[in-house]
Amino acid sequence: MKKEVVATKKVWDRNNAPFNHYAMPARRRNAPSFLLLLVAAFATVVLSQQQKRQQPLQPIGDVLHLFLDKDKNQKVSMSEVDSQISMLEVLFQNGAEGDEQGEQYKKILKAVKAAAPTIFALLDSNSDEELSKSELKYVTKFENSLKKGGGMREFLRDVFSMLDVDGNDQLSADELFAASQSSTIISDVTVRFHTLFPLRGNPSELEEFVKKTIVSFGGQDSLDKESVEKGMKWIDDDGDGYINRKEVGKFYNIAGKQFMDTSKSIRQMGPMLAMFGGMDMNTGGGGGGGFKMDL
């Protein structure tokens, strides 16, 4: 019986040489896109393992310290904060279009980036231009203050009463502007804030921060009645030109829930964030607990 010979067809390249599939260079991928996929895969594994083990999540302050401390010297500088925010921006920019959660994170990240210098200065209790782990624990204290009985609800109620000079349970643009110019009100608000968050040796050291916070209400470097009226629109739900307790409570509940949800996501991804904490993107390289408030 004649043995049938089957010819094998060779594949030739343009130089008339046999083509070697194994010699092909690996297909280049966009580094951020690849990292985004890696992050998603790693986060899925981490979350799955946490759900199985039911281990408690690390406090948000500790997770931020792990992630932001890029050079691992136990201190966080403002340049490290900027660098890590930029890394997150790159990751989210490569997310899928139309992803509502991704878009929400982008908005939150934009707000965090704008507020980062002010928050950094506030947390830097010893003014050494670096944040220690103990200083970042105040982020955890802030989160805990949002929970039932944590103190933030009572703080806002007290501040509302301080600003409501005529006692009619609503705030006008005139009252808010007058409060921004009143050293007495600013001092009283600062004392109440310091009781909840003793970030300095005494309340007077926090008065400048309180003043800047009030001025930033209008979205400008200086405050006038017109900028107050503009800033009020974010909270004035019924558009009547006044802010009542119910509207403040509604705004607080929405903003607070967003913070708690974001914090929970960050805490769940703690191990992954720690892993990516030292990467340079330019080289390719238990639940939070609910709350509700009616003022």
Side-chain angles (χ1 to χ4, degrees), residues 142 145 150-162 188-197 209-210 245 252 293 295:
F142 174 78
S145 76
M152 182 58 73
R153 175 176 57 185
E154 293 76 15
F155 169 71
L156 290 179
R157 282 177 173 172
D158 289 348
V159 171
F160 190 99
S161 297
M162 293 176 191
D188 290 345
V189 171
T190 303
V191 169
R192 188 65 181 83
F193 180 82
H194 185 266
T195 300
L196 191 58
F197 304 109
F209 168 76
V210 172
R245 290 179 180 272
Y252 170 82
M293 180 184 83
L295 286 177

Side-chain angles (χ1 to χ4, degrees), residues 42 46-47 50 57-58 63-64 66-67 264-276:
F42 187 86
V46 169
L47 293 180
Q50 286 180 340
L57 301 176
Q58 291 189 67
V63 173
L64 289 175
L66 283 171
F67 173 58
K264 184 177 180 179
S265 297
I266 292 173
R267 292 164 64 204
Q268 287 175 328
M269 294 188 295
M272 179 270 293
L273 291 175
M275 181 184 74
F276 281 88

